[in-house]
Amino acid sequence: MNTKTYKPLLIFIAFLFLTLFLLLPLLIIFIGAFSQGFEVFWYSITEPAARHAIFLTLLVVVVTVPLHTLFGLSAAWALTKYRFRGRQLLITLIEIPFAVSPVIAGLVFIILYGVNGFLGEWLHANNLQIIFAVPGIILATMFVTLPFIARELIPLMEAQGSDAEEASLTLGAGGFRTFYHVTLPAIKWGLLYGVILCSARAIGEFGAVSVVSGRIRGATNTMPLHVEILYNEYQFAAAFSVALLMSLFAIFTIVIKQVVERKQQLG
Amino acid sequence: MNTMSITITGITKDFGKTKVLKNINLTVKEGELLALLGPSGSGKTTLLRMIAGLEHASKGDIFFDGNNMTNVNAKDRNVGFVFQHYALFSHMKVKDNIAYGLRVKKKKDRPTKSQIDSKVNELLELVKLEGLGERYPSQLSGGQKQRVALARSLAIEPSVLLLDEPFGALDAQVRKELRRWLRTLHKQTGVTTVFVTHDQEEALDVADQVIVLNDGEIIQEGTPSDIYDSPNSPFMYRFLGNANELKGTATKEGISIGGVTLASGEPLADGENVVSYVRPHEISLAHTSGNDHRLEVEITKTHPVGPIVFIEARRLDRAQEHIEIELSKGTFDNLSIKVGDIMYAHVERFRTFQANEYMI
């Protein structure tokens, strides 16, 4: 067989898999969400527990993403513009969250900050609660989403080198001006892409959050946890409704991602 | 323009254990166009980047007009720096690239908008890119990009202009044009200029003064004709290329090469291994052996290019090495040389060095 005969076969396989594992489930979510009518759907995503879950998820995104933007920029800057001892180690460390199971990540935080954990007693004495509370959820999400922005920026900035920054420097611009006028415009689409991926993951993270959250309805429930609870309570239509809302978030980010990718290629 | 001289004293640079530059001392006179020439890894770019403040010396000092700049930040040195790969700001139009250095000045030193505009136009004219100010760098050819980079670096009226392999990324044709043009531009602006290159032809063609670096040390400095006419070491001959290398032994009478003794004015110990360098146009040929023409060769190749004929010949003495000879078309025709002819070569001019210091 030559490559020409492979072409339709490969395309067929790709579409088959996408249909089975992506389009069909999405369709089922859609059908499930509206199985008891629009009113049930609307109620499911506006009742207080759901609203709180949405609020909490967005709060996590709002805290996590800016912090990781800052971290990603600093780490990528340090790793690509300077050569120093421990550089390789830092690159490896940034990738650890990709390799570690989110459940383990959650457990690590429990061991650290839980009541019986290393810092548990001290935290308790000072009336600080991290595990089974919002800070724990944010910490767990931050762990899981740590690599996204940095990993997007490092290869990009590596490829761009430091010539433009050095040119700016010799032309009399200081560090901040150089960053703002030269570096940022050159990496903005890559940065935005990283931010989108990071947000999508922050919204959807289940494993790590599930371990540290305690799933207190109306207090420490994020959207993915809320979906699972509803499902376990046989409230299928409600579960699918919230799931649909999350899927819409996801589709929205994918659309933005497509636009950004096109811009990136053009730029 | 207020241009400055550059003085470098005792500059040394180590990267860990490797010494990139070893105690470099040099002076670039005000208004001079100097080439730093050397093979890759010779430390020439590091030295240039140090003058710009983009790299820091382990030891030594850099002065502009007698002011010690060693600890002055790159952004405060007021140097123009041109990179091999242009380093233009790709998201800015050509005119904004050129205006950048003026726009980032502190408020009190910043020219007004109209002053900046007229300066940009003046520079676009200087680099022969009138009317391209609204383009983006991606819409320009390599040669045009490099001219924008030059205009951008000249906008701040730099004390010195530094160019790092400025034509290295361009086609041969554009390269030749641009380097001639750089000479003209230098005459027009008069700014002290240092450029780095690994291309001997480029250095000799463009610069007033050439400094050859190898392995972190200055090997030779002088005017292009000093450098070309009297290379001071085997390295220089090899690096400049276009010279025959003849290995031999020193004797009382001169230098014995493959059984033929050439008279040499240079004091060399008897019996020492030596190597002589002869440029191809400094060899003549004759069909019969004579007083001068004694090195027996067989012609293996003739290649006329315009007024010059390039000849390759094999030595018939012990060495059996090939030598290259250049004759004028007229001489070549008079001698009616053909491939396969056995002829006798006369070395008219050569320089001899001890062989042990570099032989591999």
Side-chain angles (χ1 to χ4, degrees):
Chain A
M1 267 207 291
N2 62 25
T3 45
K4 265 201 180 138
T5 44
Y6 277 127
K7 188 177 159 188
L9 183 70
L10 288 172
I11 293 175
F12 173 74
I13 291 173
F15 270 102
L16 183 72
F17 269 66
L18 281 176
T19 311
L20 280 178
F21 298 111
L22 214 79
L23 295 177
L24 216 56
L26 267 177
L27 189 69
I28 285 173
I29 291 174
F30 195 80
I31 293 168
F34 293 105
S35 59
Q36 293 178 32
F38 182 77
E39 259 133 64
V40 174
F41 166 76
W42 189 248
Y43 175 76
S44 305
I45 61 169
T46 51
E47 54 98 11
R51 281 213 317 250
H52 191 272
I54 296 169
F55 161 77
L56 186 56
T57 301
L58 292 179
L59 177 71
V60 168
V61 172
V62 166
V63 176
T64 305
V65 175
L67 284 174
H68 277 336
T69 305
L70 204 66
F71 165 77
L73 281 169
S74 334
W77 188 279
L79 287 167
T80 57
K81 311 285 177 191
Y82 303 107
R83 292 286 175 270
F84 53 91
R85 202 181 291 205
R87 184 174 168 270
Q88 274 308 319
L89 184 72
L90 193 54
I91 292 178
T92 314
L93 284 177
I94 288 174
E95 296 201 354
I96 281 185
F98 274 154
V100 174
S101 155
V103 176
I104 311 267
L107 282 173
V108 168
F109 285 108
I110 291 204
I111 290 168
L112 258 178
Y113 304 119
V115 181
N116 301 316
F118 288 120
L119 300 170
E121 223 162 283
W122 183 84
L123 288 169
H124 189 71
N126 287 281
N127 226 355
L128 295 168
Q129 195 176 4
I130 290 181
I131 301 303
F132 305 138
V134 176
I137 296 173
I138 290 174
L139 279 177
T141 308
M142 286 197 67
F143 179 93
V144 173
T145 54
L146 180 119
F148 286 95
I149 294 175
R151 280 310 289 162
E152 201 54 47
L153 292 178
I154 290 168
L156 183 65
M157 289 170 77
E158 187 90 59
Q160 286 175 348
S162 332
D163 278 8
E165 277 85 5
E166 288 182 343
S168 166
L169 212 60
T170 59
L171 290 166
F176 181 75
R177 271 175 192 279
T178 298
F179 175 75
Y180 186 74
H181 290 298
V182 176
T183 311
L184 201 56
I187 60 167
K188 63 181 175 197
W189 295 115
L191 179 64
L192 190 55
Y193 186 29
V195 164
I196 290 165
L197 284 180
C198 185
S199 310
R201 185 63 195 266
I203 291 168
E205 177 51 28
F206 177 82
V209 170
S210 140
V211 177
V212 296
S213 119
R215 306 170 189 220
I216 305 155
R217 222 182 256 202
T220 63
N221 236 5
T222 60
M223 287 172 80
L225 301 181
H226 188 60
V227 171
E228 201 215 9
I229 291 175
L230 291 172
Y231 189 83
N232 287 343
E233 290 172 349
Y234 303 105
Q235 301 188 43
F236 296 130
F240 278 124
S241 300
V242 180
L244 179 63
L245 193 60
M246 286 180 67
S247 308
L248 290 180
F249 272 140
I251 290 168
F252 176 66
T253 53
I254 288 169
V255 170
I256 296 182
K257 183 186 141 230
Q258 285 297 331
V259 174
V260 169
E261 265 177 358
R262 190 157 300 171
K263 287 271 188 191
Q264 217 174 348
Q265 276 162 12
L266 292 177
Chain B
M1 262 185 209
N2 181 24
T3 194
M4 294 186 180
S5 67
I6 306 168
T7 306
I8 288 171
T9 57
I11 285 284
T12 297
K13 173 76 176 176
D14 331 286
F15 281 122
K17 275 184 188 156
T18 20
K19 275 199 164 24
V20 182
L21 291 169
K22 303 165 190 165
N23 191 27
I24 299 287
N25 297 289
L26 66 88
T27 302
V28 190
K29 290 197 202 83
E30 191 184 312
E32 196 168 63
L33 176 50
L34 178 130
L36 282 176
L37 173 65
S40 63
S42 58
K44 56 191 191 303
T45 294
T46 308
L47 187 58
L48 191 80
R49 289 170 57 83
M50 270 177 194
I51 300 173
L54 295 172
E55 204 97 51
H56 294 280
S58 310
K59 245 191 265 165
D61 291 291
I62 294 170
F63 301 88
F64 288 179
D65 261 5
N67 301 314
N68 194 331
M69 304 299 278
T70 318
N71 296 315
V72 176
N73 274 335
K75 83 179 183 68
D76 302 319
R77 283 198 194 188
N78 197 39
V79 299
F81 200 99
V82 174
F83 295 80
Q84 179 175 6
H85 298 287
Y86 328 122
L88 294 179
F89 308 132
S90 56
H91 60 285
M92 292 182 203
K93 287 177 178 169
V94 166
K95 60 175 185 150
D96 298 320
N97 264 281
I98 297 174
Y100 185 84
L102 300 173
R103 289 196 183 135
V104 298
K105 275 187 195 291
K106 288 201 189 75
K107 219 169 200 151
K108 63 178 170 68
D109 305 326
R110 197 184 303 154
T112 62
K113 237 182 156 110
S114 62
Q115 282 172 324
I116 292 179
D117 285 347
S118 70
K119 181 85 190 172
V120 167
N121 286 330
E122 190 186 303
L123 284 162
L124 279 171
E125 205 176 306
L126 182 71
V127 300
K128 311 250 175 299
L129 291 174
E130 300 101 324
L132 297 187
E134 298 293 327
R135 298 252 185 113
Y136 281 93
S138 59
Q139 298 167 304
L140 302 179
S141 72
Q144 290 172 329
K145 282 182 196 166
Q146 200 55 298
R147 281 185 280 160
V148 174
L150 248 161
R152 182 179 68 178
S153 66
L154 289 172
I156 57 168
E157 307 199 344
S159 312
V160 300
L161 179 62
L162 309 171
L163 306 106
D164 184 12
E165 301 262 7
F167 315 125
L170 303 170
D171 307 336
Q173 184 57 39
V174 184
R175 201 139 113 191
K176 266 213 164 116
E177 258 174 56
L178 264 190
R179 72 192 195 205
R180 286 283 150 79
W181 173 78
L182 177 68
R183 264 226 76 97
T184 324
L185 186 79
H186 177 254
K187 277 218 182 87
Q188 269 174 280
T189 60
V191 60
T192 309
T193 303
V194 179
F195 80 100
V196 155
T197 179
H198 65 270
D199 182 343
Q200 327 79 357
E201 202 189 313
E202 190 169 290
L204 300 178
D205 189 19
V206 177
D208 302 325
Q209 200 71 18
V210 178
I211 288 184
V212 182
L213 282 174
N214 185 40
D215 216 4
E217 287 174 304
I218 294 178
I219 304 294
Q220 191 170 2
E221 49 185 305
T223 63
S225 56
D226 290 342
I227 302 279
Y228 190 80
D229 294 337
S230 14
N232 67 359
S233 57
F235 166 81
M236 286 298 297
Y237 268 106
R238 288 183 164 190
F239 181 61
L240 294 172
N242 201 26
N244 291 296
E245 188 179 284
L246 307 172
K247 286 170 194 157
T249 323
T251 64
K252 285 206 179 61
E253 293 78 39
I255 296 138
S256 163
I257 290 167
V260 180
T261 303
L262 306 173
S264 157
E266 287 162 75
L268 289 158
D270 198 17
E272 192 165 32
N273 284 329
V274 294
V275 60
S276 297
Y277 290 89
V278 189
R279 296 213 183 268
H281 63 88
E282 291 167 345
I283 298 176
S284 65
L285 288 172
H287 281 291
T288 51
S289 157
N291 270 349
D292 290 332
H293 295 87
R294 284 178 301 175
L295 199 60
E296 197 179 13
V297 298
E298 180 191 347
I299 308 297
T300 54
K301 203 168 159 189
T302 61
H303 182 59
V305 177
I308 295 168
V309 184
F310 297 92
I311 298 166
E312 241 177 68
R314 186 166 58 88
R315 281 163 62 185
L316 295 177
D317 54 65
R318 287 186 305 245
Q320 299 281 315
E321 280 165 1
H322 280 81
I323 56 173
E324 285 169 23
I325 302 154
E326 284 172 29
L327 296 180
S328 70
K329 189 80 165 62
T331 316
F332 177 79
D333 289 341
N334 283 342
L335 289 165
S336 65
I337 296 169
K338 290 180 295 296
V339 172
D341 285 357
I342 305 293
M343 297 189 76
Y344 298 87
H346 168 50
V347 177
E348 290 164 352
R349 193 166 168 271
F350 62 99
R351 277 213 58 190
T352 304
F353 301 91
Q354 284 184 354
N356 48 2
E357 55 191 271
Y358 74 96
M359 284 292 175
I360 304 149

